[in-house]
Amino acid sequence: MEQLATLEDLPKEYVSTLTQSNLVPLWPSLRNVLPPNQPIPQTQATAWHFKDIKPLLLQAGELTPIEKAERRVLVLANPGHGLENMKATSSIYLGMQLLLPNEWAPSHRHTPNAVRLIVEGTGAYTTVEGQKCTMEHGDLILTPSGLWHEHGHDGDEPVIWLDVLDLPLVYYMEASFVEGGDVQEVKGTDRGHRYAKGIVPTVHFVRENSGYPLLRYSWKDAKQVLDALAADAAHQGPAQISYVNPETGEDCQKIIGYSAIRLAPKEVVQLERRSAAQVFHVIEGQMHIDINANTYELSRSDTACAPCFAQIDLINNGDEPAYIFVADEAPLQKKLGLYSTRARI
Ligand code: GTQ
């Protein structure tokens, strides 16, 4: 492709006249906004280790009362995007949230979609539109766009979870805002019992139309399916599950996709190169991850992110199975017609 003229190639006076008229020449920036062949991501391969985050989060618990934080979160920020922009990838926000015994994070609802993946501790719960969802290690709890949610804690140890939101995208669209609300009246539990093994209640009534019939995906159930897949001789490829809407089979949320992979001891999984950036979080076990030229050793509760079209290898060097939670931008890209894959190099 032709090397294009730069801003310096133009007379200064001409450029300043353009500026005064709110005009910009395209050609000096054309190769930045339309780079040849593939995007130039700002997202850098980055890893965050739980052993570093946890003491700082507990310190935040001493420094800042929950009433002064609303949500006590340390954001996992990708340096490639600038830390202050609070992005793990261009569209994915990650945060580690701490709730201490007897604390309460008040009810609110916002336009970004959120999920929580429970990392440590018991006794906490999230109430979503009146449905009380218990938080246990590895559980995935949805708080989709526009639904009221609050967090409470009846237990006696700190509870920590990973928040995943599409906040960077929604903020970029100038569509991000929150409303505060009153304590919710609890009307039921998480409804997981309704969607077991393809057996669902016959509907003699109009379904709730939130579009989110299931709000809590229990880790116990997800792990059972992963173990069964791994034990099934007829199953091809890595054991991987997707978190879907049980009534439609579609991705459980509209923008970010959620799945989990099981790596047997010594198993190596070479992922295809995808246009969607991804996040990896270790639910159980340990993993060595290669992302392009970067290598990270991840232990339980550690998190890493990878840019678009990265070449990624997942390797379990341990003696126990490893279970990895994955978040990616594929649902968003597929809806927009932007999703593609590339052969590995
Ligand atoms: O728990 O509702 O990490 O509203 C960021 C914004 C968590 C939450 C975050 C939020 C929440």
Side-chain angles (χ1 to χ4, degrees):
M1 274 180 156
E2 193 71 42
Q3 181 83 35
L4 302 177
T6 67
L7 214 50
E8 287 69 43
D9 295 328
L10 290 168
K12 277 208 170 56
E13 224 178 84
Y14 174 72
V15 174
S16 81
T17 311
L18 287 180
T19 304
Q20 280 161 28
S21 310
N22 293 326
L23 294 169
V24 176
L26 172 61
W27 58 95
S29 305
L30 184 62
R31 298 278 187 256
N32 295 337
V33 294
L34 287 174
N37 305 319
Q38 70 176 49
I40 306 168
Q42 284 178 263
T43 304
Q44 292 173 6
T46 309
W48 296 267
H49 297 238
F50 188 62
K51 70 168 183 0
D52 302 325
I53 299 174
K54 184 177 173 182
L56 295 168
L57 202 47
L58 292 174
Q59 212 179 336
E62 291 164 17
L63 293 170
T64 309
I66 190 71
E67 295 75 21
K68 289 289 169 194
E70 192 162 314
R71 299 295 190 262
R72 194 191 289 110
V73 176
L74 292 178
V75 179
L76 283 57
N78 193 306
H81 286 283
L83 298 185
E84 69 285 0
N85 291 314
M86 301 195 294
K87 302 177 179 190
T89 73
S90 66
S91 300
I92 301 178
Y93 157 106
L94 297 175
M96 279 279 179
Q97 183 162 170
L98 169 71
L99 198 65
L100 294 169
N102 301 315
E103 284 187 336
W104 181 65
S107 189
H108 71 192
R109 62 178 181 182
H110 40 68
T111 45
N113 296 277
V115 304
R116 322 155 193 290
L117 195 279
I118 315 311
V119 172
E120 203 175 86
T122 56
Y125 59 89
T126 295
T127 304
V128 188
E129 292 285 318
Q131 304 293 324
K132 187 171 176 177
C133 301
T134 310
M135 296 173 131
E136 288 173 11
H137 172 248
D139 290 352
L140 182 72
I141 295 171
L142 310 188
T143 56
S145 179
L147 302 195
W148 292 106
H149 57 281
E150 65 196 78
H151 314 298
H153 193 339
D154 301 332
D156 53 16
E157 57 183 2
V159 171
I160 297 173
W161 63 82
L162 178 71
D163 291 316
V164 188
L165 281 79
D166 48 27
L167 180 61
L169 175 77
V170 178
Y171 181 77
Y172 168 77
M173 294 173 71
E174 299 189 336
S176 179
F177 66 95
V178 67
E179 295 166 85
D182 298 329
V183 181
Q184 295 172 68
E185 184 195 335
V186 174
K187 297 184 212 133
T189 56
D190 57 67
R191 302 185 284 210
H193 59 285
R194 287 198 201 165
Y195 299 101
K197 301 184 192 303
I199 298 163
V200 300
T202 305
V203 177
H204 299 295
F205 54 90
V206 179
R207 285 196 196 277
E208 288 166 64
N209 60 4
S210 76
Y212 300 95
L214 187 56
L215 295 168
R216 172 175 178 249
Y217 296 76
S218 100
W219 174 237
K220 219 173 75 207
D221 292 345
K223 185 177 176 181
Q224 241 173 39
V225 177
L226 284 166
D227 287 341
L229 280 175
D232 182 349
H235 180 75
Q236 306 264 317
Q240 182 161 18
I241 55 158
S242 298
Y243 293 95
V244 300
N245 177 326
E247 290 178 354
T248 65
E250 289 168 8
D251 295 303
C252 68
Q253 285 192 342
K254 294 188 168 97
I255 295 177
I256 303 175
Y258 299 99
S259 59
I261 302 181
R262 180 191 191 276
L263 301 170
K266 310 301 171 223
E267 184 172 358
V268 178
V269 173
Q270 300 193 309
L271 300 179
E272 62 186 343
R273 296 171 58 224
R274 311 165 82 211
S275 59
Q278 299 176 74
V279 167
F280 301 90
H281 172 84
V282 181
I283 300 179
E284 290 184 34
Q286 57 177 72
M287 159 172 88
H288 174 105
I289 183 169
D290 289 330
I291 305 171
N292 297 329
N294 308 278
T295 288
Y296 304 102
E297 299 297 334
L298 301 184
S299 306
R300 183 182 170 108
S301 308
D302 291 351
T303 308
C305 70
C308 61
F309 293 118
Q311 178 143 299
I312 302 168
D313 294 343
L314 312 178
I315 301 148
N316 179 7
N317 285 325
D319 300 325
E320 301 290 328
Y323 299 88
I324 315 299
F325 174 68
V326 184
D328 69 39
E329 299 170 350
L332 169 67
Q333 291 201 345
K334 286 178 180 169
K335 286 186 181 73
L336 298 178
L338 300 173
Y339 183 79
S340 68
T341 60
R342 296 273 173 94
R344 287 172 58 92
I345 306 161

